């Protein structure tokens, strides 16, 4: 995985021109989309995180799952231990580039009602996560 180094900017830097790479969080744990919901919840607990980056078997990011989403699936009446992360991923097309401006990313996230968005490189590998402050 390629690491992005962020550079600190003065507080008066124009937020319209700031890029996603400047403010994104580390990608954190990445799991395969064939993982079960129970195992994913255990990984989250061990890593002390509230979301996981989900990748396919080629290592390309396919989305994010949150603890809230996984707990809701596990607690539903339709849940079985055969449910995999790929079965519950929502909007697979929601990604952003590290060179996207914050203004563009925030607008897209608010329009699609996303609290977090994976940041991927040109090959689809996860570089980080952009999360909106509520």
């Amino acid at each position: 995985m390629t690491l992005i180094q962020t550079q600190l900017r003065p507080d008066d830097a124009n937020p319209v021109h700031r890029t996603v790479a400047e403010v994104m969080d580390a990608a954190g744990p990445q799991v395969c989309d064939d993982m079960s919901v129970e195992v994913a919840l255990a990984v989250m607990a061990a890593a002390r995180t509230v979301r996981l980056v989900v990748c396919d078997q080629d290592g390309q990011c396919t989305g994010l799952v949150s603890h809230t989403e996984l707990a809701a699936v596990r607690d539903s009446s339709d849940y079985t231990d055969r449910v995999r992360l790929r079965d519950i991923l929502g909007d697979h097309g929601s990604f952003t580039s590290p060179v996207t401006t914050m203004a563009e990313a925030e607008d897209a996230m608010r329009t699609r009602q996303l609290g977090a968005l994976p940041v991927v490189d040109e090959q689809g590998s996860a570089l980080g996560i952009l999360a909106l402050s509520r």
Side-chain angles (χ1 to χ4, degrees):
M1 174 177 7
T2 305
L3 296 176
I4 295 283
Q5 289 186 333
T6 59
Q7 297 177 352
L8 296 176
R9 288 190 152 198
D11 290 337
D12 61 343
N14 187 342
V16 173
H17 299 293
R18 292 177 67 191
T19 64
V20 168
E22 295 175 63
V23 297
M24 71 181 183
D25 296 324
Q30 297 184 28
V31 297
C32 193
D33 62 0
D34 66 350
M35 181 177 281
S36 72
V37 170
E38 286 296 329
V39 173
L41 285 166
V43 169
M44 279 184 184
R48 296 182 180 172
T49 188
V50 295
R51 62 179 72 88
L52 295 172
V53 173
V54 181
C55 299
D56 64 16
Q57 295 194 352
D58 295 325
Q60 294 194 339
C61 180
T62 58
L64 288 175
V65 291
S66 71
H67 184 274
T68 304
E69 291 169 320
L70 293 180
V73 168
R74 181 195 57 203
D75 296 341
S76 76
S77 60
D78 296 331
Y79 176 73
T80 71
D81 62 355
R82 293 181 185 224
V83 176
R84 301 291 179 236
L85 297 180
R86 73 170 65 96
D87 301 329
I88 63 170
L89 282 175
D91 187 358
H92 293 268
S94 296
F95 306 99
T96 193
S97 162
V99 297
T100 302
T101 66
M102 280 304 302
E104 293 169 327
E106 287 175 356
D107 183 54
M109 291 173 74
R110 287 190 196 333
T111 300
R112 290 183 255 166
Q113 299 178 343
L114 302 171
L117 196 59
V119 180
V120 299
D121 64 15
E122 298 82 24
Q123 290 78 36
S125 298
L127 300 174
I129 297 172
L130 180 64
L132 287 180
S133 299
R134 297 274 175 198

